[in-house]
Amino acid sequence: MKKTLVIFAHPYYEYSTANVELVKAYEGIDNLHFKDLYEEYPDFHIATFRERKRIKDFERLIFHFPLIWFGLPPLLKLWIDEVFDMNWTSEDDHPLLNKDAVIIVTVGGKKDNYSEKGLYETTIPDLMKPLTLSLKVNSIEVKEIIAIHDADDLKEAELKKNSEEIKKTLQIP
């Protein structure tokens, strides 16, 4: 498995039954480092240079977060704004080159609501466009977007199925 950094950002993690279970999928996996942004930076003061140095050591980045008002949690957006350096895009050998990413987003709403003909008239990939573009500009290939719908109402069997999907995704070459 690729050396992986999970960047987890949930402002109300302890109240999210789904995410409490889903993050267990990362436990005991070699070459995986789990980072909870809200635990590490509760004051929103990101150690930018430390993060830039740390990110160099990983081949894969996993962004795991809930959809909040159709976008990223504020601390995750701030982390990207401060850690990704626009100067890197002009460098031949910048720290994000040759990395890939997986996006795991938990969604409270029903899957049918997130379609062009659904209630919100948009899709999860469309809502993830700011993140996927930020990754693309930095030469990071997005391997997969996993949207876990009805996150507030998932039963144990469904959570296990989603956890297995996450574990399987971690093995993508």
Side-chain angles (χ1 to χ4, degrees):
M1 187 180 103
K2 291 184 174 186
K3 191 169 182 187
T4 301
L5 174 62
V6 176
I7 303 158
F8 179 75
H10 197 309
Y12 309 108
Y13 172 56
E14 62 275 8
Y15 300 109
S16 173
T17 306
N19 281 289
V20 167
E21 286 303 312
L22 293 172
V23 299
K24 291 177 183 176
Y26 305 121
E27 292 176 356
I29 296 179
D30 291 334
N31 286 329
L32 184 138
H33 179 76
F34 183 85
K35 175 184 199 48
D36 182 339
L37 292 182
Y38 279 89
E39 184 175 298
E40 190 159 343
Y41 299 115
D43 58 1
F44 280 57
H45 294 293
I46 295 170
T48 303
F49 293 106
R50 182 179 73 202
E51 292 295 327
R52 288 178 181 172
K53 188 175 179 182
R54 180 186 343 218
I55 204 170
K56 292 178 185 183
D57 294 335
F58 296 93
E59 301 165 290
R60 173 168 290 153
L61 305 174
I62 296 188
F63 295 89
H64 184 147
F65 56 91
L67 188 68
I68 297 179
W69 282 108
F70 308 103
L72 304 178
L75 186 55
L76 178 56
K77 174 67 171 110
L78 180 64
W79 187 89
I80 291 167
D81 289 347
E82 292 195 9
V83 175
F84 288 12
D85 186 337
M86 282 305 292
N87 291 326
W88 288 345
T89 61
S90 62
E91 295 176 12
D92 291 333
D93 190 30
H94 67 78
L96 301 178
L97 199 62
N98 299 319
K99 295 186 187 311
D100 64 48
V102 174
I103 298 169
I104 300 170
V105 58
T106 55
V107 183
K110 298 184 181 316
K111 186 175 185 176
D112 292 347
N113 291 343
Y114 292 90
S115 68
E116 291 179 10
K117 294 185 180 188
L119 178 64
Y120 305 123
E121 299 177 353
T122 191
T123 65
I124 294 297
D126 286 343
L127 293 171
M128 294 299 104
K129 206 55 131 173
L131 176 56
T132 58
L133 284 173
S134 296
L135 297 170
K136 182 179 181 177
V137 164
N138 281 285
S139 304
I140 299 174
E141 177 188 2
V142 176
K143 292 284 193 177
E144 191 169 352
I145 298 174
I146 298 173
I148 300 169
H149 293 275
D150 296 315
D152 298 331
D153 299 317
L154 293 175
K155 306 293 183 229
E156 187 176 336
E158 295 164 313
L159 286 169
K160 283 185 180 183
K161 179 182 172 196
N162 287 312
S163 292
E164 290 305 316
E165 183 181 1
I166 291 170
K167 287 178 183 178
K168 184 178 175 185
T169 301
L170 292 173
Q171 302 305 320
I172 294 174

